[in-house]
Amino acid sequence: MRAIWKGAVSFGLVSVPVKLYSATESHDVSFRQVHQADGGRIRYQRICSIDGEEVPYSEIAKGYETEDGEMVILTDDDFANLPTTSSREIAVEKFVPSDQIDPMLFEKSYYLEPENTGVKPYALLRQALQDADRVALVTVALRQRTSIAALRVRETENGDVIVLQTMMWPDEIRVPDFKVEPGEVKDSEIKMANMLVETLAGDFTPDDFSDDYAEAVDEMVKAKIEGGEVERTPTSTKTSGEVVDLLAALQRSVADAKKSRGEKVPKEAKEAKDEGDEKSKGKKSKKAS
């Protein structure tokens, strides 16, 4: 890992010299647009929409488009006068309960490593966060722009590490422009839904999940490189598209989940599953005839 920023966390009169590392990396599958005939990469030209001429990088500027479509061209001098900051301080503003921060506000995560002279104050801040069971709300200047962020402690294979999570500004969270009606559900449906939740309850273990798409693409590419044929495998269970009774579907889900775990299936769930299975057999026999 390579440090992308150096500075210091300050809380009260305590200063903690730290290095900042990106805590995440994307494994998204990316493709390039190529010429199907020979595999050559497709290149794009920078064409001006007004005169139709190709524009060199030296003549490209930043433009801000207003709501009425006007384009305002900004120069380096304009940006020099903006209220940016190059401060190397992560200033703790307050310590707040973690449940007061909407998870939607979190943007990107970074690990904080103490410099040699900051090991003791780093341990002090880490212990204070753990004992208080709170997160530190901070301001930090990254890429010349001040952001709000949260400091919390994360348990890792190499010990407990302080994590800095940059946050979006509250007005950057969009409000849905649609309304969800409450709907009417029966007590029996709620009861069975709760039973399904309890049946599928468990602890979150990240290793239980994998990126099937990325793995499939990787295998497909390897097969093509080796000159083998690519075998298509189903990626999801197809449904018949029929509208089923909500309660019956929940009951069958509970029965299937409990059966797969070797647990006793509730009577009402077993009856619903048997009834559903019989209906499925009946439809298959009609299709066969």
Side-chain angles (χ1 to χ4, degrees):
M1 297 174 69
R2 182 179 179 181
I4 61 173
W5 186 89
K6 290 184 179 182
V9 179
S10 63
F11 65 111
L13 299 178
V14 180
S15 181
V16 189
V18 294
K19 299 176 183 178
L20 200 70
Y21 299 87
S22 291
T24 60
E25 58 182 353
S26 175
H27 286 159
D28 282 351
V29 177
S30 60
F31 301 98
R32 299 192 183 278
Q33 290 189 324
V34 297
H35 186 192
Q36 188 174 10
D38 55 22
R41 289 181 57 184
I42 304 299
R43 301 291 185 182
Y44 292 92
Q45 295 178 310
R46 299 172 298 278
I47 303 297
C48 176
S49 62
I50 296 178
D51 60 23
E53 298 292 329
E54 184 174 1
V55 182
Y57 276 115
S58 59
E59 296 182 13
I60 295 179
K62 289 184 173 66
Y64 183 91
E65 187 172 6
T66 63
E67 292 184 0
D68 57 3
E70 294 292 330
M71 190 65 69
V72 180
I73 298 177
L74 303 174
T75 67
D76 291 339
D77 291 337
D78 294 324
F79 284 101
N81 294 324
L82 292 177
T84 58
T85 177
S86 58
S87 171
R88 291 287 173 174
E89 180 185 29
I90 301 174
V92 176
E93 306 295 340
K94 60 175 66 175
F95 294 91
V96 302
S98 57
D99 59 5
Q100 289 186 1
I101 302 178
D102 186 343
M104 287 188 68
L105 290 170
F106 290 126
E107 192 171 21
K108 189 169 176 56
S109 300
Y110 301 89
Y111 288 129
L112 292 184
E113 178 191 23
E115 298 274 18
N116 292 334
T117 57
V119 173
K120 186 173 181 178
Y122 182 96
L124 176 65
L125 174 59
R126 180 180 58 193
Q127 191 63 50
L129 287 171
Q130 291 174 317
D131 291 347
D133 192 23
R134 288 173 176 255
V135 298
L137 202 61
V138 305
T139 51
V140 57
L142 295 176
R143 300 179 183 87
Q144 296 186 325
R145 182 172 181 258
T146 301
S147 302
I148 53 173
L151 297 183
R152 65 180 183 84
V153 180
R154 184 174 190 269
E155 183 178 345
T156 73
E157 296 178 356
N158 296 322
D160 295 341
V161 179
I162 297 177
V163 175
L164 181 145
Q165 291 180 289
T166 55
M167 297 165 60
M168 304 182 75
W169 297 101
D171 61 358
E172 293 179 313
I173 301 298
R174 300 174 64 186
V175 177
D177 58 2
F178 57 87
K179 183 178 181 181
V180 179
E181 298 297 335
E184 295 184 7
V185 292
K186 301 176 182 178
D187 291 341
S188 56
E189 294 170 339
I190 296 175
K191 178 181 178 181
M192 194 52 59
N194 291 337
M195 186 180 296
L196 177 58
V197 171
E198 288 300 321
T199 302
L200 297 177
D203 295 323
F204 173 58
T205 307
D207 293 339
D208 290 343
F209 303 88
S210 60
D211 189 345
D212 295 338
Y213 179 77
E215 293 174 1
V217 170
D218 186 55
E219 291 299 323
M220 179 178 64
V221 172
K222 286 180 180 178
K224 281 186 172 290
I225 292 175
E226 296 171 359
E229 294 184 5
V230 180
E231 295 184 5
R232 294 185 178 181
T233 55
T235 57
S236 62
T237 303
K238 293 184 178 180
T239 62
S240 61
E242 64 173 315
V243 179
V244 297
D245 178 69
L246 176 60
L247 179 58
L250 290 168
Q251 290 172 328
R252 293 178 65 184
S253 298
V254 171
D256 288 338
K258 284 188 172 292
K259 186 176 180 180
S260 66
R261 295 187 180 190
E263 300 177 8
K264 185 178 179 181
V265 179
K267 181 180 178 181
E268 60 269 33
K270 185 177 184 304
E271 291 176 350
K273 177 174 172 53
D274 292 341
E275 182 179 349
D277 291 341
E278 287 298 324
K279 289 182 179 180
S280 298
K281 290 179 181 178
K283 289 182 179 179
K284 287 182 180 179
S285 61
K286 287 183 180 180
K287 289 183 178 180
S289 60

